[in-house]
Amino acid sequence: MAETASEQDAALTEWLALTEALLRGLVHALNNRLTAISAFVELAVAGDEEFAVQRVLPAELARLQDVGGLFRLLVGNEGAPEAMELGPVLEDALALHVQNPTLRGVRCAVVRAGASPTVRVPRWALLRLLLVMLESGKRAAEAAKRETTTLRVESDEAWVTLRIEGSALSPYGAVMACLCGAAPDTQAGADSVRIPTLLEVRRRERLGREGAVR
C-alpha cells in the first residue's frame, strides 16, 4: 500500500497517542497493585490474621502478573503471519483498551455472528488493528454521549468482518489492516474491515500454485 509522508506521519502520531494513553493507564494499574502488596505486607507483619500470606498474596501476585502481561502486549512489532483464532486476540485488545484513562466511561459490547474464525495474520498487527478500532468506536460514542460502542464480529468460510460504530478507518488502522491482508470496507457510520479466513488464504495459495503450473 503506497503512502505519502503525511499519511505515514498521521498513522505514527495516532499510534503514539494511543500507546501513551494506554501506558499511563497501565502505570496507574501497576502502582495500585504495588500499593496493595505494600499494605498487605505491613498488615501481615503487624499480625493481622485477615492478611495471612496464603489468603491474600497469591491473588495479588496474580493481578500483578496480569498487569505485566498487558505491558508485554504493547512491546514488539515483529512476527510472521501465523494461524490463530481471532477470539483470544480480541480479548487481549479489550483488556488492554480498558486501561485507557480517557475513555473508561465508555464500554464496548461485542456481538458475534458465525463460528469462531481462524485467520493467518501477524498477531501484533491484528492486536493493534483491534485497538485502534476500539479507540475509534469509543471516541465516537463519547462524542455522541453514548455509554457503549458495539464491535460486531461476523464470519463465514471466507471472511471475518469486524465492524464498529465510528468514523472511517483511521490511518494507522489502515496500515495494520493491510498487514493482516484485510480489505477495508468503510460503510456509512461504521468502520468495517474484512480479513480472509485461513481457509480462504489456503484456497488462494492453491489457486496460485495451480496457475503457476499451467
Side-chain angles (χ1 to χ4, degrees):
M1 180 177 61
E3 296 176 319
T4 66
S6 60
E7 288 172 335
Q8 292 175 344
D9 289 344
L12 182 58
T13 298
E14 175 193 355
W15 177 243
L16 289 176
L18 176 54
T19 52
E20 181 181 355
L22 294 175
L23 287 171
R24 284 202 310 271
L26 286 172
V27 168
H28 180 72
L30 178 62
N31 286 336
N32 284 346
R33 299 276 60 82
L34 294 175
T35 299
I37 291 174
S38 297
F40 154 74
V41 170
E42 291 179 5
L43 291 168
V45 169
D48 192 325
E49 294 183 359
E50 283 294 315
F51 293 89
V53 171
Q54 64 271 23
R55 297 183 61 179
V56 178
L57 189 57
E60 283 300 329
L61 288 177
R63 294 187 184 102
L64 185 60
Q65 289 173 342
D66 288 342
V67 175
L70 294 176
F71 271 108
R72 287 191 292 273
L73 289 174
L74 288 176
V75 177
N77 59 353
E78 298 179 351
E82 58 182 294
M84 68 190 74
E85 290 190 358
L86 185 140
V89 185
L90 174 57
E91 294 302 320
D92 283 343
L94 290 167
L96 189 51
H97 205 285
V98 165
Q99 304 300 324
N100 188 336
T102 64
L103 292 169
R104 282 184 177 151
V106 181
R107 298 186 300 273
C108 180
V110 179
V111 177
R112 295 177 171 89
S116 179
T118 300
V119 295
R120 190 167 75 191
V121 297
R123 193 183 194 283
W124 65 271
L126 177 59
L127 177 70
R128 293 186 181 189
L129 171 61
L130 290 166
L131 283 172
V132 295
M133 291 184 73
L134 291 172
E135 177 82 1
S136 173
K138 286 187 175 184
R139 290 206 176 278
E142 183 181 57
K145 301 189 184 303
R146 289 185 282 106
E147 295 181 352
T148 304
T149 187
T150 301
L151 174 65
R152 301 184 185 278
V153 182
E154 303 167 357
S155 62
D156 54 31
E157 285 192 356
W159 295 98
V160 179
T161 301
L162 305 174
R163 182 174 297 116
I164 194 163
E165 299 161 328
S167 57
L169 190 65
S170 67
Y172 195 81
V175 173
M176 294 300 103
C178 182
L179 289 174
C180 290
D185 181 19
T186 305
Q187 301 181 357
D191 285 346
S192 181
V193 176
R194 298 197 311 158
I195 302 174
T197 64
L198 179 60
L199 285 175
E200 174 65 12
V201 170
R202 286 176 173 170
R203 185 188 69 83
R204 294 178 183 180
E205 291 173 345
R206 184 174 62 254
L207 292 175
R209 289 193 298 269
E210 292 172 354
V213 170
R214 292 173 185 168

